[in-house]
Amino acid sequence: MIVEERIYRIQAGKLPEYLSKYEAMGLDLQKQVLGNLIGYFTTEIGALSTIVHMWGYESLDDRARRRTELAGKAQWQEYLRVCTPMIAEMENRILVPTAFSPLR
């Protein structure tokens, strides 16, 4: 298993709108195609207006296949058109569990 951690810094004052649009337009589709939503968070301390979400995959190939499928969906393209302008900065990391990690 691998975990993709995605960190989005949302433009100041846009976080409630972003979350509302994501929940209405993107969440269900991502859950259907990507499959394993581990968590979706906002920050209280540190960099404000920040979202962190994590998705689990069997492998990098599994991730690539699922992300390609998602990118081909018209509904996803519409979500990107609406929500991407609200994102000031994006970062993602692939996390690999240790032998003793409870998530494996």
Side-chain angles (χ1 to χ4, degrees):
M1 173 186 196
I2 63 167
V3 174
E4 180 177 25
E5 176 190 45
R6 298 181 77 89
I7 302 166
Y8 298 166
R9 287 169 187 87
I10 307 301
Q11 292 178 15
K14 296 286 188 178
L15 185 60
E17 180 183 359
Y18 180 88
L19 290 171
S20 176
K21 297 285 186 191
Y22 174 71
E23 188 173 12
M25 300 175 71
L27 177 60
D28 286 342
L29 182 60
Q30 271 197 310
K31 285 169 46 177
Q32 289 169 13
V33 176
L34 301 183
N36 185 11
L37 174 60
I38 294 171
Y40 206 99
F41 310 92
T42 59
T43 55
E44 284 291 320
I45 297 174
L48 300 179
S49 297
T50 299
I51 295 169
V52 178
H53 48 115
M54 294 184 278
W55 299 85
Y57 301 98
E58 293 177 18
S59 65
L60 287 172
D61 288 338
D62 179 45
R63 177 193 174 273
R65 181 185 60 75
R66 290 172 183 271
R67 300 277 324 164
T68 298
E69 180 182 345
L70 182 65
K73 304 273 188 189
Q75 180 184 344
W76 184 247
Q77 293 303 315
E78 178 62 12
Y79 158 77
L80 292 177
R81 185 188 69 73
V82 170
C83 288
T84 300
M86 290 185 263
I87 301 172
E89 192 176 324
M90 300 171 77
E91 176 183 351
N92 79 319
R93 299 187 286 198
I94 299 297
L95 308 175
V96 179
T98 61
F100 52 83
S101 174
L103 289 176
R104 303 193 70 225

